[in-house]
């Protein structure tokens, strides 16, 4: 039998106290809805429908799942109305089961949903829901069973009697429903409740009232933590901490040293080889890959970075969407922006910024330089204060520097420009034309002096010839 899925993600999330839709808030470096979609996708549903409402365009833009369809719920009139909107995007000829899940319940695992589907079909149910037992069921909807233990209905906490509120079995909100039953049950929903909304939970009582032909089952899950919803900033932070702790445990078990796991933030998508050492206050976000023996001293921010074996990232490195070849030394306080590619055995030192820069093997830029839109060959040394002048106010332009060059301090290369191999660039040079291989290039101006100029300058400002009056005033200030 085939499966379709509806993920409800239309709500605003009032308790988040945010202008952003709740499902757009991030967990583990990605919008929480991405985690819910990934779990549902494990059942290979076709189609998978995301019901959007508040900030619908932003939510759609955040969903990277290529097979997703979207249904707009406007206005938002409850979960039953949301499910009805989602069902409208599933072809009328579909005859399988429909999974209903939530975009703000990101802890659910694919394994749990697979087990739920297996139990649903094994029992021959037309409607199954996932329930859990809680010592303190709080304000969740209660699962009401008859004397024989069969599910009768779901009662929301606001509408429950004192006796019903004493029940500890609660509804998680996850359903598997035969498509034909879902269509007919949703058509019968009425807003007869304290909120004046269409409750999805009412489909349980509707199915049960039809007798054994519409068999209803509750599958009791064993791990309540998977069904924790995100309704506040505190709950978001708590789940983030749980995710981070689980990632860190797994990494340490695989042979990675985390100097201080409590302040190390690593995404679940990151791949980190054994014998890496990661210092405190490090964030490794997205699809990062760290080769064996990489050392990160601390206070680093890395996003979608590939780092070769035995590299050393010193304090304060920031890098995104770039490649760092093996045995390179980066930092302290270096900024490798998107498009940077280091071939290996490179040195990018303190206060160096790169952007779309490709550096050949062994090339170094040790301090205080900007290398943007540049291709630099192997074994070239870039001195202090070198700038590739890549922007003319409208467009970016390329700088090309060859192999084995010595680029002196305080050099500006005004792009587009090409410097050949084996070139020595004298300090303070401004390069505006192509430089041939093997050349010495310079653009020095003659040094000029005006004897006695400083005494006249001080006299003009009422200072003594040796500057003592100025120093005395500075000391008083």
């Amino acid at each position: 039998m085939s499966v379709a899925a509806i993920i409800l993600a239309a709500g605003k999330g009032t308790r988040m106290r945010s202008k952003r839709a709740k499902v757009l808030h991030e967990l583990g470096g990605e919008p929480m809805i991405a985690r819910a979609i990934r779990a549902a996708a494990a059942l290979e549903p076709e189609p998978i429908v995301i019901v959007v409402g508040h900030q619908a365009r932003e939510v759609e833009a955040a969903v990277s799942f290529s097979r997703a369809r979207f249904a707009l719920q406007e206005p938002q009139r409850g979960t039953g109305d949301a499910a009805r909107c989602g069902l409208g995007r599933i072809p009328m000829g579909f005859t399988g089961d429909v999974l209903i899940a939530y975009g703000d319940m990101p802890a659910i695992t694919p394994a749990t949903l697979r087990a739920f589907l297996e139990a649903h079909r094994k029992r021959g149910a037309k409607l199954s829901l996932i329930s859990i037992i809680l010592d303190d069921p709080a304000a969740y909807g209660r699962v009401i069973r008859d004397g024989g233990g069969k599910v009768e209905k779901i009662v929301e906490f606001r509408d429950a009697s004192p006796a019903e509120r004493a029940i500890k079995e609660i509804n998680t909100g996850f359903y598997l429903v035969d498509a034909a039953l879902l269509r007919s049950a949703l058509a019968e929903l009425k807003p007869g409740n304290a909120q004046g909304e269409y409750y999805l939970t009412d489909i349980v009582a509707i199915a049960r009232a039809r007798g054994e032909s519409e068999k209803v089952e509750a599958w009791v899950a064993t791990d309540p933590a998977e069904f924790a919803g995100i309704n506040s900033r505190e709950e978001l932070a708590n789940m983030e901490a749980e995710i981070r702790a689980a990632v860190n445990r797994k990494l340490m078990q695989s042979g990675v040293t985390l100097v201080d796991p409590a302040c190390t933030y690593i995404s679940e998508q990151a791949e980190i080889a054994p014998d890496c050492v990661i210092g405190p206050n490090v964030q490794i976000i997205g699809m990062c890959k760290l080769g064996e023996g990489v050392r990160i001293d601390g206070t680093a921010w890395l996003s979608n970075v590939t780092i070769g074996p035995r590299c050393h990232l010193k304090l304060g490195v920031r890098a995104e969407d770039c490649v760092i070849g093996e045995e390179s030394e980066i930092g302290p306080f270096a900024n490798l922006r998107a498009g940077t590619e280091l071939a290996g055995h490179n040195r990018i030192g303190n206060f160096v910024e790169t952007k779309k820069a490709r550096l050949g093997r062994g090339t170094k830029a040790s301090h205080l330089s900007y290398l943007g839109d540049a291709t630099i060959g192997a074994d070239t040394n870039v001195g202090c204060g070198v700038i590739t002048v890549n922007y003319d106010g409208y467009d970016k332009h390329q700088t090309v520097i060859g192999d084995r060059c010595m680029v002196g301090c305080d050099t500006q290369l005004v792009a587009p420009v090409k410097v050949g191999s084996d070139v020595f660039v004298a300090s303070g040079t401004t390069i505006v034309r192509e430089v041939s291989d093997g050349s010495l290039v310079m653009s020095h101006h003659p040094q000029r002096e005006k004897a006695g100029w400083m005494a006249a300058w001080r006299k003009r400002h009422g200072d003594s010839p040796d500057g003592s009056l100025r120093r005395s005033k500075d000391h008083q200030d």
Side-chain angles (χ1 to χ4, degrees), residues 129-421:
L129 60 99
I130 301 179
S131 69
I132 53 175
I133 309 298
L134 297 177
D135 292 334
D136 179 11
Y140 292 107
R142 303 307 200 261
V143 178
I144 309 301
R145 296 177 181 265
D146 63 16
K150 294 182 178 180
V151 176
E152 280 192 339
K153 59 182 177 178
I154 306 296
V155 177
E156 296 294 342
F157 180 81
R158 295 184 182 91
D159 305 308
S161 67
E164 290 169 335
R165 291 184 178 185
I167 294 171
K168 295 186 176 182
E169 185 179 9
I170 65 105
N171 174 39
T172 65
F174 286 83
Y175 301 89
L176 277 166
V177 193
D178 174 79
L181 169 60
L182 184 61
R183 290 189 187 95
S184 61
L186 290 176
E188 292 184 31
L189 291 182
K190 306 293 182 184
N193 50 67
Q195 302 302 303
E197 295 182 344
Y198 294 90
Y199 283 170
L200 180 60
T201 50
D202 288 347
I203 67 172
V204 175
I206 292 170
R208 179 63 196 273
R210 297 180 183 179
E212 290 301 319
S213 63
E214 308 286 17
K215 188 177 181 182
V216 177
E217 292 283 348
W219 182 73
V220 183
T222 57
D223 186 3
E226 288 191 35
F227 302 94
I230 302 295
N231 294 299
S232 68
R233 305 282 184 147
E234 182 179 4
E235 291 174 349
L236 183 70
N238 289 340
M239 189 170 291
E240 178 73 39
E242 292 172 5
I243 292 170
R244 188 170 70 246
V247 170
N248 289 352
R249 280 195 301 270
K250 183 178 179 181
L251 287 171
M252 289 186 286
Q253 290 167 0
S254 71
V256 176
T257 294
L258 304 182
V259 175
D260 188 352
C263 58
T264 304
Y265 306 84
I266 302 174
S267 77
E268 295 167 291
Q269 292 77 41
E271 299 178 16
I272 302 179
D275 289 325
C276 287
V277 178
I278 299 173
N281 300 316
V282 171
Q283 298 182 61
I284 299 176
I285 298 167
M287 301 291 291
C288 287
K289 295 183 180 181
L290 277 63
E292 188 173 309
V294 168
R295 182 180 183 88
I296 303 174
D297 289 346
T299 314
W301 187 91
L302 310 176
S303 176
N304 300 318
V305 176
T306 298
I307 304 176
R310 299 173 298 284
C311 287
H312 182 192
L313 275 61
K314 298 181 179 180
L315 187 72
V317 171
R318 184 189 188 279
E320 62 177 325
D321 299 313
C322 63
V323 177
I324 302 172
E326 77 279 1
E327 299 189 31
S328 293
E329 185 178 311
I330 312 297
F333 305 109
N335 183 11
L336 277 57
R337 292 168 55 191
T340 295
E341 295 182 17
L342 308 182
H345 294 265
N346 299 104
R347 165 86 171 99
I348 302 295
N350 53 294
F351 305 107
V352 173
E353 179 180 354
T354 63
K355 190 271 293 186
K356 291 184 180 178
R358 301 176 63 186
L359 275 63
R361 190 175 182 85
T363 287
K364 301 174 178 62
S366 294
H367 34 232
L368 297 165
S369 295
Y370 171 69
L371 305 175
D373 299 287
T375 299
I376 304 176
D379 298 317
T380 286
N381 186 81
V382 177
C384 176
V386 172
I387 298 172
T388 58
V389 186
N390 59 333
Y391 184 49
D392 64 8
Y394 295 94
D395 300 301
K396 299 293 180 69
H397 301 280
Q398 288 286 321
T399 296
V400 178
I401 302 173
D403 301 331
R404 301 174 302 280
C405 291
M406 183 71 181
V407 183
C409 296
D410 195 29
T411 293
Q412 300 87 46
L413 299 105
V414 182
V417 71
K418 181 178 180 181
V419 175
S421 295

Side-chain angles (χ1 to χ4, degrees), residues 70 93 150 237 434:
F70 297 94
K150 294 182 178 180
E434 182 173 344

